[in-house]
Amino acid sequence: MRRDGADVGWSLVVPLKPLVRAKSRLSAATGEEFRPRLALAFALDTVAAALACADVRDVAVVTDDPLAGERLAALGARIVPDIPARGLNAALAHGADAVRARRPGAAVAALNADLPALRPAELGRVLHSAAQFPRAFLADAADIGTTLLTAASGVELAPAFGGPSRARHLASGAREITVARVASVRRDVDTGEDLRAALALGVGPHTARQAPRRPDGAAAADEVAGAAGQPPPGLRAYGV
């Protein structure tokens, strides 16, 4: 289907570093060996929730990590090699170009890969709001960074992620999305404190299976897990 010359439904572009380098700031909280497993779990929950959103037509993951690519492709994502290999924003621009090489009229959105609490309904509310503007973005929970940037059909994505990207996206002319009740779309995870906040919101099953255990394999029941044999309290369903 098409509306006003554009394909209906958003194409999401999700960037993911090689797992050996992903989420480096989590090492202090999780241990260096455990960190790549959490990074993959975050990405799996993010992509699964995005694909479950009625407003999302497809998801392209830009990554060169073979394990992550295999697991994410199994969920239904398209894997796009990071041919530029020049960092986050180059990867996102490349992913948007790859989407529009197949569907020139696509509306595209860049979405962080570290949103383990993401709810499809909340993502849908953000995308509905974004559809009112040529370019729009959603700030992270700290109001410093960006978790999502959108570009309407025929509009360049022009990503400026990294560090204080909220200010850069504002300066670029993108409109800030201020819709309420979308905490799961703003809650990216870079630190142990971020992870605890995501768990409090309720995370997807891949993260829930990983987060309740310390690097030594012992259950961290006092922090994020329930009693032995019980589902972690942070588990949530994708449809919620």
Side-chain angles (χ1 to χ4, degrees):
M1 296 175 59
R2 297 176 68 84
R3 184 183 300 126
D4 297 329
D7 290 332
V8 174
W10 292 88
S11 287
L12 269 54
V13 180
V14 178
L16 182 62
K17 291 180 181 178
L19 296 176
V20 69
R21 295 192 285 111
K23 299 287 103 188
S24 58
R25 291 168 59 193
L26 270 178
S27 293
T30 66
E32 185 63 18
E33 182 179 354
F34 192 62
R35 172 187 53 76
R37 291 159 54 188
L38 267 180
L40 176 58
F42 295 166
L44 290 168
D45 284 329
T46 299
V47 170
L51 287 168
C53 176
D55 295 274
V56 173
R57 174 166 175 160
D58 48 36
V59 175
V61 178
V62 183
T63 187
D64 283 334
D65 190 285
L67 173 61
E70 180 181 355
R71 296 287 303 277
L72 291 162
L75 292 180
R78 174 189 174 192
I79 306 304
V80 178
D82 184 7
I83 293 173
R86 296 195 309 271
L88 174 59
N89 291 308
L92 287 169
H94 173 63
D97 288 345
V99 166
R100 286 175 169 169
R102 289 188 174 186
R103 289 202 301 126
V108 297
L111 181 72
N112 285 6
D114 58 351
L115 301 169
L118 185 63
R119 266 80 165 166
E122 294 185 12
L123 177 59
R125 286 198 290 273
V126 172
L127 293 173
H128 274 287
S129 181
Q132 302 174 55
F133 310 107
R135 288 176 67 244
F137 73 94
L138 184 72
D140 64 11
D143 281 327
I144 295 172
T146 304
T147 60
L148 179 136
L149 172 71
T150 67
S153 176
V155 177
E156 184 182 357
L157 185 62
F161 284 79
S165 60
R166 175 178 180 262
R168 288 196 298 274
H169 285 132
L170 276 171
S172 76
R175 294 290 297 269
E176 183 166 10
I177 299 165
T178 58
V179 63
R181 297 181 293 111
V182 293
S184 75
V185 197
R186 302 184 67 195
R187 174 42 65 197
D188 56 347
V189 176
D190 289 314
T191 66
E193 183 179 354
D194 294 338
L195 179 55
R196 287 189 290 274
L199 289 162
L201 284 176
V203 296
H206 298 94
T207 302
R209 281 194 291 270
Q210 297 293 339
R213 295 189 175 277
R214 299 193 301 263
D216 61 7
D222 57 328
E223 294 184 6
V224 295
Q230 298 299 315
L235 183 64
R236 55 95 176 132
Y238 286 124
V240 175

